[in-house]
Amino acid sequence: SLTLGIVGLPNVGKSTLFNALTNSEVEAANYPFATIEPNIGVVNLPDPRLNRLAEIFGSERILPATVSFVDIAGIVKGASEGEGMGNQFLSNIREADAICQVVRVFADEDVVHVAGKVDPLADIETVATELILADLQTIEKALPRLEKEARKNKELVETLEAVKAAEAVLTDGKTLFAAGFDTAPIRELHLMTAKPFLYVFNADEGVLTDAARRAELAAAVAPADSVFLDAKIESELLELDPEDQAEMLESIGQDEPGLDSLARAGFHTLGLQTYLTAGPKESRAWTIRQGDTAPKAAGVIHTDFEKGFIKAEVVSFADLDANGSMAAAKSAGKVRMEGKDYVMNDGDVVEFRFNV
Ligand code: GDP
């Protein structure tokens, strides 16, 4: 499954957030690995549609989709030159599908800041610079080989040009993601700044309730997604019953737990979407990539479903919700039979027909 790698400077609240992630209760049945590795934190993707489906179908249980975060320790200034745990850090980050940087916004005299003061945009730049430098090293190493190969193989000329264009963007101090660079032609280089970024601003009440400040920070990192939360409070929230949770959230101006916002943003950053299945046993969300076709979606349930795919019976959640039952949705003509070229929409409620 796809993962977001959690990075950030020391003392910004990574461990605090990661502990909250690992303590959040995820039903193991919907998690593809038998045991959850210690450096992986999994959160449920909140989805109120599942509650409605469970009501319509009388489902015994609800299984939401999940989002996985990997704790990647130790970025410091100089990581690209092997400072600190530099090399280990870089190889861990290469394995992640997206980068989730925790950024300190909270002020606390008792918590030392590595750079001497709380400056979120400077911290973001520090991390970006290390990743940019590491990517430039990768490109420098690859260029002589590519140039040689491109002389013999005309097809590689385009790749070579794209790599040089990427080099120019990076030299200019931009990540490939922030620059909106088309990274498809240079995928083989596995550049880190080509991965999508997500920023978690670890803030206190003052900033959480300050819409203008939040908008300013979010705009500074766009097109990356931003999430604003208080990591310390997120851990405390998990200990509370729903009523006290709501009260605590309200006191810091939040309308949902930060982990919920983080799950949603992480899912979006990874380019994922869900489709839904429902029956008396369970109402369940399944994770697919945006743009996946029906057979591909069926394959997430079981590989045999993809191989033996015949058709998908599809109704949009909105239509099912409005009609109140599958039978009513059918008589209203809202249930479609879709074939193997059908591209799934988020929130499709599906039943697959297949040969075994
Ligand atoms: P890491 O080095 O990035 O993993 O940071 P930690 O999670 O260990 O946090 C460093 C210190 O900051 C700890 O003492 C935390 O309790 C504290 N801390 C983390 N998040 C917050 C927060 O949102 N507000 C405040 N005031 N302190 C925090």
Side-chain angles (χ1 to χ4, degrees):
S1 75
L2 302 185
T3 58
L4 294 112
I6 296 187
V7 304
L9 295 176
N11 268 355
V12 297
K14 292 184 301 297
S15 319
T16 309
L17 178 65
F18 192 74
N19 284 342
L21 285 169
T22 49
N23 289 337
S24 77
E25 259 170 67
V26 166
E27 202 169 335
N30 206 20
Y31 189 69
F33 308 114
T35 52
I36 295 176
E37 292 168 49
N39 68 331
I40 296 188
V42 183
V43 263
N44 283 328
L45 179 72
D47 190 346
R49 296 174 302 192
L50 290 170
N51 299 69
R52 174 65 176 139
L53 286 182
E55 185 183 278
I56 293 172
F57 289 84
S59 316
E60 279 168 33
R61 61 172 186 171
I62 286 174
L63 284 174
T66 59
V67 190
S68 308
F69 292 85
V70 187
D71 184 21
I72 300 179
I75 194 166
V76 289
K77 216 169 177 162
S80 61
E81 285 146 25
E83 284 295 315
M85 312 211 330
N87 292 326
Q88 182 58 37
F89 170 81
L90 294 175
S91 68
N92 286 340
I93 226 173
R94 278 198 183 91
E95 281 165 29
D97 301 286
I99 295 170
C100 173
Q101 182 180 348
V102 181
V103 183
R104 174 168 169 182
V105 189
F106 69 86
D108 188 334
E109 302 278 312
D110 295 331
V111 180
V112 174
H113 190 287
V114 276
K117 67 169 189 280
V118 177
D119 184 345
L121 297 184
D123 288 4
I124 285 170
E125 201 175 312
T126 300
V127 170
T129 301
E130 293 309 320
L131 300 178
I132 287 170
L133 290 173
D135 277 354
L136 280 170
Q137 285 175 13
T138 306
I139 289 180
E140 246 167 66
K141 269 191 218 137
L143 268 180
R145 173 182 57 84
L146 278 169
E147 267 163 357
K148 204 164 131 197
E149 284 172 5
R151 263 178 253 132
K152 284 184 253 155
N153 181 352
K154 285 280 161 282
E155 275 171 31
L156 287 175
V157 172
E158 222 174 301
T159 310
L160 179 63
E161 290 312 309
V163 171
K164 284 182 176 165
E167 188 181 29
V169 168
L170 295 165
T171 307
D172 199 32
K174 277 217 172 78
T175 66
L176 297 175
F177 175 72
F181 192 87
D182 173 19
T183 52
I186 57 168
R187 193 158 288 151
E188 57 157 313
L189 292 185
H190 300 292
L191 297 178
M192 288 180 287
T193 71
K195 297 178 197 288
F197 281 68
L198 163 66
Y199 292 96
V200 177
F201 292 102
N202 187 13
D204 40 32
E205 193 192 330
V207 171
L208 292 178
T209 52
D210 182 347
R213 176 75 176 133
R214 278 188 287 129
E216 183 185 36
L217 288 168
V221 300
D225 279 338
S226 340
V227 173
F228 294 83
L229 51 76
D230 181 328
K232 237 171 156 174
I233 286 191
E234 288 306 317
S235 325
E236 291 163 23
L237 279 175
L238 298 171
E239 316 272 308
L240 302 177
D241 54 49
E243 223 167 87
D244 294 336
Q245 258 192 20
E247 204 172 295
M248 186 150 174
L249 284 169
E250 206 192 316
S251 75
I252 55 164
Q254 301 283 83
D255 46 25
E256 66 173 4
L259 292 188
D260 284 3
S261 323
L262 179 58
R264 251 192 276 278
F267 207 72
H268 177 255
T269 297
L270 288 170
L272 300 173
Q273 69 176 35
T274 54
Y275 72 87
L276 311 166
T277 58
K281 240 183 71 197
E282 63 189 31
S283 286
R284 182 161 181 167
W286 300 87
T287 302
I288 56 174
R289 289 186 195 253
Q290 291 165 11
D292 275 352
T293 57
K296 197 104 209 200
V300 174
I301 300 181
H302 199 291
T303 44
D304 288 347
F305 283 29
E306 182 171 359
K307 278 185 250 158
F309 179 89
I310 303 170
K311 277 188 256 214
E313 194 181 47
V314 182
V315 57
S316 74
F317 172 79
D319 285 338
L320 178 57
D321 180 28
N323 285 280
S325 76
M326 206 57 185
K330 267 186 190 149
S331 15
K334 299 294 184 191
V335 181
R336 294 163 276 135
M337 280 299 177
E338 301 285 2
K340 65 178 171 41
D341 296 326
Y342 177 69
V343 175
M344 304 293 290
N345 285 309
D346 194 86
D348 278 345
V349 183
V350 186
E351 193 171 319
F352 293 109
R353 306 281 166 78
F354 55 92
N355 283 317
V356 271

